[in-house]
Amino acid sequence: MPSLFFCILLLGLRVTESQASGLAPPQQVRLDADKETQTLSVTWEDGHASTFDVEILRTELMEMVLNETVGVTEDQSTGKHQWNWTSPVPLECTSLSVKVRSRDGQDVSEWSSQQILPGLDLPDNTDSQMYPEGKTVPVGSNMTFCCIVEEGQQFGSLWYKDTLVKENMLSRRTYATTMTNQGPSNPSGTNVVCSNEKKMIIAGAVVFVGYPPLPSDLVCETHDLTSVDCQWSKGRDTYLFGMTRQTYYTLNGRNCPKARNSNMRCGLEQWDGNWTLVARNLLGEFRLTDAAELGHRVRPVAPVNLTTPEVYSWNASVGWLWKDKGFERLSLICQVQRTSHLNSSTQTYTGYGLNTVVLKDLQPDEKYSVKVRCGSQKNFWKWGEWSLPLSFQTKMDRSVAPDIWLWMDSDNLGRVLWKPLTKSESHGQISGYEVILWSPEENSQQTLTLPQSVYSLPINVTDLGSKVTVTVTARNPAGVSLPANVVIPRYLPDAEDTAISKVAFNGSGFPLSWVAHANASCGYVVDWYNTSCTQDCNVEWTRVAADNTNTMVQSGNFFAGVRYTFSLYACSSESTVLLERWHGYMQELVPSRTVLRLSPNQEGADVQLTWDQIPLEHQRGFILGYTVYLTNASHLTLLANITDPQLTNHTVRNLVLGSYKFTVKAYTAAGEDGGATVSISLEPYTYWLIMEILVALGTMTCLLIVITIACYRKRKWVKKAFYPEIPEPKLPGDWGITQGTLDVKPSPHSMVHIVEDSVWDSSKEALVTVPEEDEEGTGDEAADTDEPASLRYYNQVVEEGSSSQRRPHASDSSASSTGSMDSGHTDVTYTGIQTSACSLAPMAHFQPQPDASQCVGGGGYRPQMQSASCPEEPQTGPEEHLQPPVGSFGGYQPQCSWKQDSPEADGDGLDQTCLGSPTSVTSSQFLLPYDTSEEGKEHPSSASTWFHNLLTGKP
Amino acid sequence: MADQEHIEIDTLLDMPAPGRSRTGRAAALARLLHQDCTYLLELYRERESLLSDHTPAGDRIVSLSLSSPDLSSDEQVQLLHSALRKCLGLLECLILREEEEMGELEGEYETVRKGVRDRLGHLLHSTKVLLETEEDVTPDHQCNEEVDGVVGTFGAKMWTYRVLLELIHWANSASQTLHVLHSEREGREDI
């Protein structure tokens, strides 16, 4: 099979050679391949030209790879021409055929004999392979990979990492793919996998894509004044790992095997002054240089064997050694860092061969840890390494004087307070305190010894006079502290003598300022406490220097909604004087409860609301005032805003009767509280109502009296107006009946003529006898007595049917008399005035308790134009109300209510309106109600008599 | 988590225990080893961007057969012990080659790889105890590229792939064989 291919190739070459010209073709063409670099070297002889055409084909598929004219000069020493070509495809992938011809302008020689560079896809090489394998290339480079499939297998796919890539067939068994701009590989490289149709991996290659080294910042120094230690930065990651591909370093030609990973340093035994660092990997190398004098690059090693030769309460000395003697002859600058539980500080010392320093300003009874590092004082380069730390503890000393204060609950009782001494103040473990109270006036002294856990002492200075000084000392193993003195201040509760101001919290504390006080030789003291606290209060204080007139009161014990009282005292050896007081809140809140005892009080149409103030501990802010609301369901209507917090009442005015609900809320700068609500129902004001009734009654009484008096005085006018003289009737001459006055002496109680009524028979009983009035108003004694007056009847009534029933006739002037002739009625005719309803109405008011019968009777006498009825009257039914019956007036027939029956009745004048009356009436008597009872018989008599007498002027 | 398991297993192995418990513990150890090997192969595929359906070409590396019906359980354990020794040798060779190729890395793959090596060593000790003979527990493999047929970087990777598959295979075989042995010994004890 391979021999057949060669025969075909040779036949092809023969055909091309036939095109040669006059130039001699190159002879002895030879191919040399550098597969690692994929470079093909072509050499030939006897060209006698400087320009050649080169043609490269893939032998198996006869695909042109290169056809190029190149200039190649002859190597004079060998007489050969050589031309190099770098193949983009690995030379192992497939066989290449190369031929060359000479060119001189347009003249070309015949092609040389074709030379073949055999690939690894030849049939006698049956295994699967992939090229290039294990190559290291720079990031961004392009590469072509080829897979040679094993004889007898089918190509499947090509994968670059986990990406399926497109292949290109180079020969029967060779498939290639080109990857461009490759990214960095992982430590194990980038895999290119070739699989068969069964996805079995048949070949593969690994490519390592990375960068050449790029170190920086080479610096060389000495730690021992002899050797050199160079350090540099690794720089960009090369992405190349393993013994083959990692970066190797050399310093001045010496390997740096310890330069690995991030530890980029290399040392030399001697100081050279110039150093060259070479970093190298498969992709290239990089050089760095540095140069310096030894004295300029001293970075001492750490001092060793630190000791503390001397340790006191307030200072100590620290010493150390140098491992290298050279430092003992070098001017050094050293830092000593000391660390205690309080803080850490660093101090600098200098000296020639420095190996001892003294630490000052230490704290007694304090543990310290110190460490040292040094550098060259001259041409300082860098600080050396810190030494290992050394710990020691200073000795104890007497403590500072305690910070004491006095808190007086009353004039004679109080507490001595002092703050616990801190670690930095106690200078040793405090074993106890001693408190001395002494009075220069009384020349007395009290001494108390207290354990270290006690920080206050109740005192009673009743027997110690007015000026008492308290002294407190603290004791520790080193001795007794200096005394702390304070003169007991005068007890001054709030609201006494001293004005109290408000102070606001500014976020960090309460800023207080004051006017300087002359007698503050030992400064000022500001103390504070919870204002609402009454017993065993937590009192805090701070001291202010005498030359200060302001301070910021800060504490971790301030809480929102709590009022604090701040008191400023001027302190001197002679006295402690309260100067000023403030109240303040760290944060004002709304009151935690509502006003107390809210109550309403009605005052007529007004309601006064009163309440008590909120207790101080519940105010939680400065009460700025109160708001009064009218509550309607859930809606609040503001009635008043009381801006005076001391005012605890409010009057809501001009309310109408009804129920009201009022809400009162106290408010601070933070807002209103929840509000206290109270309800009230406004009742009519009883006394006023009674008064109104009484006034009305009185007024009416007066009015009646006046009317009565007026009527009495004007009785004649009244009589004339309401009771006029009635002229004597004149009878016509043709009056058929004998004329003459029929004087009848009726029985005392039967002075009534019965009026017959066809509708109501009982009307006979409804008529009341009325004594005849004396028209003249004079004379007749009988009229003034109780004797029944004689009735004067006029027999001018047309008799109808019954002769026993006589009807009084109307006067002849009354035309109605004729009209009444046809009437079937028989009426009694009275003479006299008809009592008007209005004139009787006032009387009714004075009738005490008219009973039902009187109602009938009182109505028994009815105004003529009224159709009143009485409910109790049995005859009066609903129907009768609708159309008053004729007899509904209790037998009294109203004169003017008669309806005209005939057209003739349509006359004129008052008289004419009565034309329909069946009988003309002339009466001089008042109509009085009829009463069947005995009392009724008596009563109308007396009442009518009284009124009659009133009008007639009779007593 | 892997470290914790190792501690527990070490503790178990150090404890004196009756025979039937040893087989149980060895079977459990083999099951854990199988899980670790499977996980190690997963990490390897992930690192090398190999698809799970891509399989390496080549024959089995450790060619011992436990499936012969004539072999007793003890003989199977004997063969298993030999195979595990070869596996340990292969694994140590694998570690050596990878460290040469990439340096000493400290990723999860390297951690699990170390765990597998330790656990495989414990399993060898266990099977030796079960065999009650003076079996060798040292790795049985000469780390030689020519012997292993490793050509090129990719060839080394495929060899690694095959070794990891071999580890999975023998860990699984150990788990099954020891489980059978454990069942047999349990049965005898019960009788």
Side-chain angles (χ1 to χ4, degrees):
Chain A
M1 191 74 175
S3 57
L4 179 63
F5 273 98
F6 274 111
C7 291
I8 295 170
L9 287 174
L10 290 173
L11 184 62
L13 289 173
R14 292 294 178 188
V15 172
T16 55
E17 282 174 359
S18 63
Q19 298 172 353
S21 64
L23 285 173
Q27 301 295 317
Q28 297 180 358
V29 176
R30 196 169 63 116
L31 301 179
D32 293 300
D34 183 352
K35 294 180 179 176
E36 182 63 31
T37 60
Q38 299 180 186
T39 304
L40 178 65
S41 175
V42 185
T43 56
W44 62 90
E45 297 177 358
D46 300 333
H48 303 295
S50 59
T51 305
F52 300 90
D53 291 339
V54 181
E55 189 176 270
I56 302 175
L57 302 170
R58 290 196 188 99
T59 308
E60 187 175 321
L61 300 180
M62 294 302 287
E63 290 176 340
M64 183 72 72
V65 177
L66 180 78
N67 183 7
E68 194 172 294
T69 300
V70 297
V72 180
T73 57
E74 184 182 20
D75 186 344
Q76 297 300 323
S77 61
T78 60
K80 293 183 179 179
H81 295 82
Q82 182 179 7
W83 175 76
N84 293 332
W85 172 69
T86 301
S87 170
V89 178
L91 298 176
E92 299 92 338
C93 292
T94 187
S95 301
L96 296 175
S97 299
V98 180
K99 57 184 179 183
V100 185
R101 68 181 178 189
S102 302
R103 173 177 289 276
D104 183 9
Q106 294 300 317
D107 293 335
V108 294
S109 67
E110 290 185 351
W111 286 104
S112 66
S113 61
Q114 188 164 270
Q115 297 297 309
I116 295 176
L117 178 69
L120 296 180
D121 58 344
L122 294 177
D124 56 350
N125 194 357
T126 59
D127 292 342
S128 297
Q129 305 147 73
M130 178 165 263
Y131 297 98
E133 158 64 342
K135 203 168 184 180
T136 303
V137 297
V139 172
S141 58
N142 303 330
M143 282 184 73
T144 298
F145 299 89
C146 68
C147 173
I148 303 172
V149 182
E150 185 180 347
E151 281 287 355
Q153 283 201 349
Q154 290 291 320
F155 172 79
S157 57
L158 273 174
W159 295 79
Y160 185 88
K161 292 186 181 174
D162 52 356
T163 306
L164 180 66
V165 294
K166 190 177 181 181
E167 76 281 359
N168 179 30
M169 189 175 179
L170 301 183
S171 70
R172 183 176 58 86
R173 289 172 55 200
T174 304
Y175 298 84
T177 186
T178 300
M179 303 308 302
T180 59
N181 193 23
Q182 295 181 98
S185 303
N186 63 22
S188 68
T190 302
N191 295 329
V192 186
V193 175
C194 179
S195 63
N196 60 14
E197 76 281 6
K198 297 175 183 175
K199 294 188 177 179
M200 180 179 286
I201 299 171
I202 56 175
V206 181
V207 59
F208 297 92
V209 186
Y211 293 100
L214 189 64
S216 61
D217 306 327
L218 174 66
V219 174
C220 295
E221 61 192 13
T222 181
H223 303 302
D224 55 6
L225 301 177
T226 305
S227 64
V228 61
D229 179 27
C230 296
Q231 297 184 51
W232 62 91
S233 174
K234 184 180 178 182
R236 180 182 59 190
D237 192 354
T238 64
Y239 295 97
L240 299 175
F241 301 85
M243 296 178 64
T244 308
R245 289 169 292 277
Q246 70 181 10
T247 302
Y248 289 92
Y249 298 91
T250 59
L251 182 65
N252 286 357
R254 297 188 180 185
N255 288 331
C256 301
K258 294 181 180 176
R260 289 282 183 276
N261 302 325
S262 58
N263 183 30
M264 296 289 109
R265 62 194 307 168
C266 191
L268 298 174
E269 293 297 323
Q270 295 296 322
W271 185 267
D272 294 334
N274 293 292
W275 304 275
T276 300
L277 176 76
V278 178
R280 184 182 295 115
N281 69 7
L282 294 177
L283 297 177
E285 65 177 37
F286 195 86
R287 290 173 177 268
L288 285 174
T289 59
D290 188 27
E293 296 179 18
L294 186 144
H296 293 183
R297 295 290 177 88
V298 177
R299 185 180 184 186
V301 293
V304 295
N305 294 344
L306 266 64
T307 57
T308 51
E310 295 175 326
V311 176
Y312 303 103
S313 298
W314 299 92
N315 54 63
S317 61
V318 176
W320 60 87
L321 298 175
W322 291 106
K323 282 196 296 187
D324 302 296
K325 299 298 180 184
F327 290 107
E328 295 175 358
R329 299 183 297 276
L330 187 68
S331 290
L332 295 170
I333 179 170
C334 295
Q335 283 185 328
V336 179
Q337 184 185 67
R338 66 188 189 199
T339 304
S340 67
H341 84 284
L342 296 171
N343 54 27
S344 178
S345 64
T346 303
Q347 291 173 311
T348 304
Y349 304 85
T350 58
Y352 186 79
L354 188 64
N355 59 6
T356 303
V357 296
V358 176
L359 306 178
K360 296 179 180 177
D361 302 326
L362 301 178
Q363 283 290 319
D365 194 35
E366 183 66 53
K367 290 180 179 176
Y368 287 94
S369 173
V370 295
K371 56 183 181 180
V372 183
R373 67 177 181 180
C374 298
S376 173
Q377 187 180 12
K378 187 180 179 183
N379 300 317
F380 178 83
W381 167 239
K382 286 180 181 176
W383 287 111
E385 296 295 320
W386 284 108
S387 68
L388 294 174
L390 170 70
S391 297
F392 66 93
Q393 183 169 4
T394 53
K395 294 179 179 176
M396 288 187 281
D397 194 7
R398 296 192 303 171
S399 74
V400 300
D403 185 0
I404 69 168
W405 185 236
L406 284 160
W407 170 249
M408 299 304 291
D409 296 328
S410 63
D411 288 337
N412 295 319
L413 299 177
R415 284 183 295 149
V416 182
L417 309 164
W418 59 94
K419 294 179 180 175
L421 293 170
T422 63
K423 171 81 174 169
S424 60
E425 293 169 336
S426 61
H427 303 163
Q429 180 63 44
I430 297 296
S431 56
Y433 296 94
E434 190 173 73
V435 181
I436 301 171
L437 281 74
W438 63 282
S439 170
E441 296 171 351
E442 302 293 329
N443 195 21
S444 62
Q445 176 173 319
Q446 296 177 1
T447 303
L448 289 166
T449 300
L450 301 167
Q452 74 275 15
S453 58
V454 175
Y455 305 112
S456 68
L457 176 67
I459 57 171
N460 186 344
V461 294
T462 304
D463 301 328
L464 293 176
S466 59
K467 181 183 176 185
V468 179
T469 300
V470 178
T471 300
V472 179
T473 55
R475 180 185 295 276
N476 70 3
V480 179
S481 71
L482 293 173
N485 300 312
V486 64
V487 179
I488 294 179
R490 192 164 69 90
Y491 171 65
L492 285 172
D494 276 0
E496 278 192 21
D497 297 345
T498 308
I500 299 176
S501 310
K502 290 180 181 178
V503 58
F505 190 80
N506 68 357
S508 59
F510 291 93
L512 304 180
S513 61
W514 57 89
V515 178
H517 191 263
N519 193 15
S521 56
C522 59
Y524 301 94
V525 174
V526 177
D527 72 6
W528 62 91
Y529 56 92
N530 182 343
T531 309
S532 58
C533 177
T534 56
Q535 203 167 15
D536 294 333
C537 304
N538 179 33
V539 181
E540 295 182 75
W541 70 94
T542 185
R543 294 185 178 275
V544 182
D547 55 347
N548 268 357
T549 56
N550 61 75
T551 188
M552 179 72 74
V553 178
Q554 294 174 314
S555 172
N557 296 322
F558 287 137
F559 298 101
V562 177
R563 180 183 291 187
Y564 295 97
T565 299
F566 301 90
S567 304
L568 172 70
Y569 297 87
C571 174
S572 69
S573 59
E574 298 298 321
S575 63
T576 303
V577 181
L578 175 65
L579 299 180
E580 201 168 346
R581 266 197 177 136
W582 296 267
H583 281 165
Y585 287 89
M586 190 186 86
Q587 181 188 356
E588 290 195 58
L589 304 175
V590 297
S592 61
R593 62 172 302 167
T594 60
V595 296
L596 303 178
R597 286 186 280 281
L598 174 63
S599 63
N601 186 23
Q602 180 181 354
E603 295 177 351
D606 303 339
V607 173
Q608 186 186 40
L609 301 170
T610 59
W611 60 87
D612 289 352
Q613 289 187 336
I614 299 173
L616 180 61
E617 63 270 25
H618 296 292
Q619 291 182 6
R620 305 206 302 173
F622 294 113
I623 299 295
L624 301 177
Y626 303 92
T627 47
V628 181
Y629 295 95
L630 176 62
T631 306
N632 183 11
S634 60
H635 178 68
L636 297 178
T637 303
L638 179 65
L639 297 179
N641 180 9
I642 302 167
T643 56
D644 180 5
Q646 302 304 320
L647 193 61
T648 56
N649 63 75
H650 176 71
T651 301
V652 184
R653 301 188 182 282
N654 301 324
L655 297 170
V656 296
L657 297 183
S659 294
Y660 295 92
K661 192 182 283 186
F662 298 100
T663 298
V664 176
K665 296 182 176 183
Y667 61 90
T668 67
E672 296 177 329
D673 63 29
T677 300
V678 69
S679 298
I680 186 171
S681 181
L682 289 188
E683 301 290 343
Y685 198 48
T686 311
Y687 298 117
W688 280 106
L689 184 64
I690 293 171
M691 286 295 292
E692 285 175 0
I693 293 171
L694 290 176
V695 167
L697 288 175
T699 304
M700 190 173 292
T701 303
C702 293
L703 183 64
L704 286 174
I705 292 170
V706 169
I707 291 172
T708 305
I709 293 171
C711 290
Y712 180 75
R713 288 191 175 180
K714 299 291 182 180
R715 57 187 179 276
K716 289 183 179 178
W717 177 83
V718 170
K719 182 174 181 296
K720 188 177 181 180
F722 296 103
Y723 201 42
E725 292 290 339
I726 300 173
E728 191 73 17
K730 293 180 179 179
L731 297 175
D734 56 349
W735 189 263
I737 302 173
T738 304
Q739 294 188 9
T741 302
L742 179 60
D743 291 332
V744 180
K745 185 71 173 182
S747 66
H749 301 291
S750 301
M751 294 184 293
V752 176
H753 285 269
I754 304 303
V755 178
E756 289 182 359
D757 192 327
S758 60
V759 179
W760 186 34
D761 291 340
S762 63
S763 63
K764 297 174 181 177
E765 300 177 359
L767 289 175
V768 179
T769 305
V770 178
E772 186 177 356
E773 182 68 26
D774 186 1
E775 294 177 359
E776 300 299 325
T778 59
D780 196 349
E781 292 296 324
D784 295 335
T785 65
D786 289 334
E787 290 181 17
S790 60
L791 292 177
R792 189 174 294 165
Y793 292 93
Y794 300 94
N795 52 349
Q796 55 192 156
V797 178
V798 177
E799 191 172 330
E800 181 185 350
S802 175
S803 58
S804 63
Q805 296 291 332
R806 292 189 176 272
R807 298 175 183 174
H809 62 83
S811 64
D812 52 356
S813 61
S814 176
S816 63
S817 60
T818 56
S820 65
M821 295 298 285
D822 297 332
S823 173
H825 293 277
T826 303
D827 291 339
V828 177
T829 302
Y830 292 87
T831 60
I833 198 166
Q834 298 292 331
T835 304
S836 67
C838 65
S839 63
L840 283 174
M843 297 296 289
H845 290 290
F846 294 98
Q847 294 295 333
Q849 302 288 323
D851 56 17
S853 61
Q854 287 172 329
C855 178
V856 174
Y861 163 66
R862 302 285 171 81
Q864 296 176 355
M865 298 305 289
Q866 274 186 313
S867 61
S869 62
C870 186
E872 286 78 12
E873 195 170 359
Q875 294 81 359
T876 307
E879 298 79 6
E880 294 165 340
H881 278 284
L882 293 173
Q883 190 173 3
V886 175
S888 63
F889 296 107
Y892 169 67
Q893 193 70 30
Q895 295 175 346
C896 296
S897 62
W898 191 263
K899 303 299 181 188
Q900 297 180 7
D901 294 331
S902 60
E904 299 85 340
D906 191 10
D908 53 351
L910 178 63
D911 295 337
Q912 290 174 339
T913 62
C914 297
L915 289 176
S917 174
T919 305
S920 296
V921 175
T922 302
S923 174
S924 61
Q925 298 294 324
F926 283 101
L927 295 176
L928 293 176
Y930 173 80
D931 197 340
T932 56
S933 65
E934 287 299 317
E935 294 81 5
K937 293 173 181 175
E938 291 293 330
H939 186 242
S941 171
S942 61
S944 60
T945 302
W946 179 84
F947 190 66
H948 179 77
N949 292 339
L950 176 69
L951 295 177
T952 55
K954 290 180 180 177
Chain B
M1 183 175 151
D3 291 340
Q4 188 179 355
E5 288 176 0
H6 291 159
I7 293 168
E8 291 172 356
I9 291 163
D10 293 345
T11 306
L12 287 171
L13 289 169
D14 292 340
M15 287 170 57
R20 65 175 183 182
S21 297
R22 287 175 184 162
T23 56
R25 285 203 305 275
L29 190 56
R31 280 198 301 274
L32 289 174
L33 178 63
H34 181 248
Q35 292 173 7
D36 286 352
C37 292
T38 305
Y39 183 48
L40 183 62
L41 177 65
E42 187 180 326
L43 291 174
Y44 181 76
R45 282 180 175 147
E46 182 182 333
R47 190 188 79 179
E48 300 297 334
S49 304
L50 296 171
L51 301 179
S52 58
D53 53 354
H54 274 164
T55 55
D59 298 328
R60 294 285 306 279
I61 300 173
V62 181
S63 55
L64 293 173
S65 176
L66 295 175
S67 59
S68 173
D70 299 333
L71 293 176
S72 66
S73 295
D74 288 343
E75 288 171 333
Q76 286 184 353
V77 174
Q78 181 84 39
L79 279 174
L80 181 67
H81 183 82
S82 299
L84 292 177
R85 279 188 63 204
K86 288 184 178 296
C87 286
L88 183 59
L90 289 168
L91 180 59
E92 292 199 340
C93 184
L94 181 151
I95 294 171
L96 185 66
R97 285 175 179 163
E98 285 193 331
E99 287 183 347
E100 284 180 0
E101 191 71 21
M102 296 178 287
E104 295 183 10
L105 303 176
E106 295 178 347
E108 186 179 10
Y109 171 80
E110 286 75 21
T111 304
V112 176
R113 188 181 65 186
K114 179 178 180 300
V116 169
R117 183 178 66 180
D118 295 343
R119 189 158 285 171
L120 184 54
H122 290 310
L123 186 58
L124 274 172
H125 279 283
S126 296
T127 52
K128 174 192 168 186
V129 171
L130 293 176
L131 291 169
E132 296 178 346
T133 57
E134 291 301 317
E135 295 291 335
D136 196 354
V137 293
T138 58
D140 181 16
H141 182 71
Q142 293 293 320
C143 194
N144 188 307
E145 289 187 354
E146 287 75 19
V147 173
D148 294 332
V150 175
V151 179
T153 310
F154 190 79
K157 286 189 176 182
M158 288 301 101
W159 177 81
T160 302
Y161 198 169
R162 291 166 60 202
V163 168
L164 295 178
L165 290 171
E166 205 70 37
L167 285 172
I168 292 171
H169 171 79
W170 285 107
N172 187 40
S173 296
S175 173
Q176 293 177 1
T177 304
L178 293 172
H179 177 71
V180 171
L181 180 66
H182 176 63
S183 301
E184 289 177 359
R185 292 191 177 182
E186 283 274 311
R188 279 209 299 269
E189 289 294 327
D190 291 341
I191 292 169

